[in-house]
Amino acid sequence: MALDDQTRKQFVNAVERFVAERLLPNETLVEELGRVSDIILGEMAALGLFGLSIPERWGGLGLGMEDEVAVLIALCRANLSFRSAIGINNGVGSHGLLIYGSDAQRQRYLPRLAGGDLIAAFCLTEPDCGSDAAAVRTSARLDGDEWVLDGVKRYITNAPSADVFIVIARTDPDSSDHRGLSAFVVERGAPGLGIGKTDRKMGLHGSHTADVTFDNCRIPADALIGELGFGFALAMSSLNRGRLGIAAAAIGAARRLIDEALNYATQRKAFGAPIAQHQLVQAMLADSETEVLAAQCMVEHTARRFDRNLPVIKEASCCKLFATETVGKVADRVLQIFGGAGFMCEYPIERIYRDVRVMRIYEGTSQIQQLLIAKQMIKEHAGKR
Ligand SMILES: Cc1cc2nc3c(=O)[nH]c(=O)nc-3n(C[C@H](O)[C@H](O)[C@H](O)COP(=O)(O)OP(=O)(O)OC[C@H]3O[C@@H](n4cnc5c(N)ncnc54)[C@H](O)[C@@H]3O)c2cc1C
């Protein structure tokens, strides 16, 4: 259900106030603690941020995609680890349960995911399978009234703290492609479930990834989500929505970078004038503004299509590709505008520069988005002939 214009504006205003009053003053604390504090997580939960996309009947806010995009743009002006804290619950960690799950599964997990009482992880990537998601090797076999999982998942966001894991595994041992994959919900504490050492990363230091291992891991038969063989469809439909979310996050981060650049460039003087008066600096500001505006228009357009149930496979990939490449370019230009100060840790630019880098990699690299866009274009072209 999409909000009416006035309600959306009120909610986005509330998020903007929360960002200004609570998140921005606490963003360096995230780096010092190496995590988002429990107090801030509680405040985010109270605002409903863990359940933006989860329908009201399952305890969430039930926002439409256009509303969610507006909220994410506002939220992502602050340290991107705040968005990571809510990202999986709102996206790949709940979407599959919502679309394919049984009522019992929805009832069991969604209200607590929406309230931030449960933290979700989404387990697709493996040591030998990332971009080629259909090559998953983790296996699941039925033994009596239990599934037995074996395999390793890599770089799994929230793994160290997650309560519930959505896992894509191969249920047809004779298959080698997407048709043999199914999805499961695995609870922390399941026998044979292990969590590896927390990864040391370039950025997003308030959000944590680790391996998730399944060693003869036994889960009940009703942990299967949807039907056998639906795992790949579930993963792809979850990622479709997730890609729009990441594109919106990239726009929020880019807007923050541009604000920082304007503040700095209008104060900092060189050759007797604020650097903002120098035309080569103006060119970097103008190019950044132009590209971010273009990315925002694309994302808002695609979100409206999503809310009207129109196809967005191609458009969501276009948004993810363009918005995440754009924020990379903007971060580089803004660091340049800051000169030596941009390289120093006392300004937020170097952190944002590192944090936005992964946006071009996870939930499908830029190259994978290019392949998806071209594949869809060719398909649409063939359909017209
Ligand atoms: C911080 C972080 C958090 C993550 N969180 C999660 C998570 O929660 N759950 C999860 O399942 N995964 C997660 N991932 C994994 C992420 O989704 C993968 O890293 C990503 O999909 C790329 O896979 P890969 O690393 O195996 O790279 P590869 O697939 O090995 O790709 C390496 C390079 O080759 C290119 N390439 C591959 N195939 C092609 C092709 N056909 N044509 C052209 N170029 C190609 C890629 O674009 C890339 O540049 C996370 C990763 C990071 C860094």
Side-chain angles (χ1 to χ4, degrees):
M1 182 204 72
L3 299 179
D4 63 65
D5 280 353
Q6 203 192 345
T7 318
R8 176 189 312 130
K9 215 160 169 226
Q10 282 169 352
F11 186 62
V12 173
N13 285 346
V15 174
E16 281 170 350
R17 267 198 312 280
F18 178 65
V19 168
E21 290 168 12
R22 298 295 298 144
L23 299 191
L24 290 176
N26 276 293
E27 59 179 8
T28 51
L29 187 66
V30 173
E31 302 304 299
E32 285 161 30
L33 292 177
R35 64 185 178 86
V36 179
S37 75
D38 291 340
I39 295 174
I40 294 288
L41 288 174
E43 291 173 6
M44 292 173 80
L47 200 52
L49 296 179
F50 282 89
L52 295 172
S53 59
I54 298 175
E56 285 173 285
R57 74 177 280 227
W58 302 114
L61 296 182
L63 300 191
M65 200 67 219
E66 194 181 0
D67 309 325
E68 192 177 331
V69 157
V71 169
L72 289 174
I73 292 175
L75 185 70
C76 291
R77 298 176 82 90
N79 191 319
L80 287 167
S81 290
F82 294 122
R83 188 212 71 110
S84 289
I86 61 159
I88 305 288
N89 279 36
N90 273 303
V92 289
S94 62
H95 184 78
L97 287 167
L98 190 59
I99 304 298
Y100 294 95
S102 64
D103 265 359
Q105 287 171 334
R106 292 177 182 143
Q107 188 60 59
R108 182 167 174 80
Y109 299 110
L110 291 179
R112 289 184 292 160
L113 288 172
D117 305 312
L118 286 185
I119 296 300
F122 177 74
C123 307
L124 176 62
T125 305
E126 300 183 352
D128 294 318
C129 133
S131 299
D132 184 7
V136 160
R137 283 198 200 159
T138 295
S139 64
R141 66 183 166 82
L142 201 53
D143 181 24
D145 57 0
E146 288 180 326
W147 287 100
V148 182
L149 271 58
D150 281 287
V152 179
K153 297 290 182 178
R154 181 135 296 170
Y155 305 148
I156 303 304
T157 298
N158 290 345
S161 58
D163 306 287
V164 49
F165 301 78
I166 307 298
V167 182
I168 308 298
R170 189 164 298 284
T171 39
D172 177 358
D174 298 327
S175 71
S176 56
D177 64 9
H178 65 277
R179 282 167 293 199
L181 301 179
S182 302
F184 298 89
V185 53
V186 180
E187 296 186 8
R188 195 176 199 88
L193 173 74
I195 309 298
K197 216 165 83 185
T198 300
D199 298 316
R200 292 184 64 223
K201 309 195 295 327
M202 171 181 177
L204 285 184
H205 287 151
S207 162
H208 303 290
T209 63
D211 279 5
V212 177
T213 57
F214 303 92
D215 181 8
N216 212 21
C217 173
R218 292 188 164 265
I219 55 172
D222 64 5
L224 176 73
I225 308 173
E227 291 177 32
L228 265 186
F230 273 36
F232 193 74
L234 178 147
M236 291 307 117
S237 118
S238 302
L239 290 171
N240 223 358
R241 187 183 177 106
R243 281 168 187 153
L244 268 177
I246 293 176
I251 291 162
R255 289 258 165 248
R256 163 74 181 279
L257 285 161
I258 291 175
D259 283 353
E260 294 284 346
L262 283 167
N263 283 338
Y264 190 79
T266 50
Q267 305 288 323
R268 173 77 180 169
K269 290 196 174 126
F271 299 95
I275 58 171
Q277 297 303 325
H278 298 309
Q279 290 180 346
L280 294 179
V281 172
Q282 290 181 350
M284 289 194 274
L285 290 170
D287 285 351
S288 298
E289 179 65 22
T290 305
E291 289 164 11
V292 175
L293 179 60
Q296 187 161 347
C297 290
M298 283 171 75
V299 170
E300 288 169 353
H301 163 80
T302 306
R304 282 192 292 273
R305 283 181 66 86
F306 188 101
D307 286 340
R308 281 186 282 143
N309 286 324
L310 294 171
V312 292
I313 294 178
K314 181 183 71 185
E315 289 80 358
S317 284
C318 290
C319 289
K320 203 232 172 209
L321 173 65
F322 188 72
T324 62
E325 292 287 335
T326 293
V327 73
K329 283 193 260 176
V330 172
D332 196 58
R333 289 189 197 116
V334 171
L335 199 149
Q336 194 69 16
I337 289 172
F338 269 69
F343 201 68
M344 300 296 152
C345 296
E346 70 183 279
Y347 294 92
I349 306 308
E350 72 86 30
R351 169 179 54 76
I352 303 174
Y353 182 87
R354 287 184 286 103
D355 284 354
V356 299
R357 186 62 185 86
V358 74
M359 290 177 159
R360 284 184 261 168
I361 297 171
Y362 60 16
E363 299 206 15
T365 64
S366 289
Q367 292 69 40
I368 294 305
Q369 305 310 322
Q370 287 174 313
L371 295 180
L372 289 170
I373 295 163
K375 187 174 159 196
Q376 197 61 27
M377 288 167 69
I378 294 164
K379 200 166 147 189
E380 287 169 13
H381 179 70
K384 281 187 203 145
R385 294 167 73 193

